[in-house]
Amino acid sequence: MANTVFCKKFQKEMEALDRAPLPGAKGQEILQNVSKQAWQEWQQLQTMMINEKQLNLMQPESRKYVMEQMEKFFNNEATDKLSGYVDPDDIKEL
């Protein structure tokens, strides 16, 4: 049986990540408090943010922005809207 963690995003016991996704204390915090599903959902959102906002993760301000958005996401706070993205569920056939 897979390890579980109480996910702070979904507020329930869920499957845990296999290993820390980031180095250091932040990675350990995520490993102990974020489920595999929440991490996967964050990775999808992060990819869209990086692409739409054309972030260069070599720049400290871009990395800081991504980390701030990650904290908001896992704490169920509003993240920045992506103006170019349209959720397929929002599109209605004519």
Side-chain angles (χ1 to χ4, degrees), residues 52-65:
E52 181 166 316
K53 296 184 180 293
Q54 299 178 353
L55 299 176
N56 177 353
L57 296 180
M58 297 290 286
Q59 298 175 339
E61 60 271 11
S62 292
R63 290 192 306 271
K64 180 180 180 205
Y65 171 79

Side-chain angles (χ1 to χ4, degrees), residues 2-93:
N3 289 333
T4 62
V5 62
F6 186 81
C7 180
K8 70 182 194 174
K9 171 75 176 163
F10 294 110
Q11 294 295 301
K12 64 182 181 178
E13 280 293 317
M14 298 180 74
E15 184 178 355
L17 291 164
D18 297 325
R19 60 186 171 85
L22 301 172
K26 188 52 142 177
Q28 287 304 309
E29 178 188 336
I30 292 169
L31 181 63
Q32 295 169 359
N33 297 296
V34 173
S35 68
K36 185 179 277 190
Q37 178 182 339
W39 182 255
Q40 289 169 342
E41 288 180 17
W42 162 248
Q43 286 186 303
Q44 291 173 344
L45 178 60
Q46 173 185 250
T47 299
M48 288 189 291
M49 283 181 172
I50 291 168
N51 290 338
E52 181 166 316
K53 296 184 180 293
Q54 299 178 353
L55 299 176
N56 177 353
L57 296 180
M58 297 290 286
Q59 298 175 339
E61 60 271 11
S62 292
R63 290 192 306 271
K64 180 180 180 205
Y65 171 79
V66 169
M67 294 301 283
E68 289 169 353
Q69 294 302 304
M70 180 180 73
E71 285 299 318
K72 288 180 179 182
F73 178 79
F74 290 135
N75 290 322
N76 292 309
E77 298 170 10
T79 58
D80 284 353
K81 293 282 184 192
L82 302 177
S83 62
Y85 176 73
V86 178
D87 189 326
D89 293 336
D90 292 341
I91 299 174
K92 297 181 180 176
E93 293 185 47

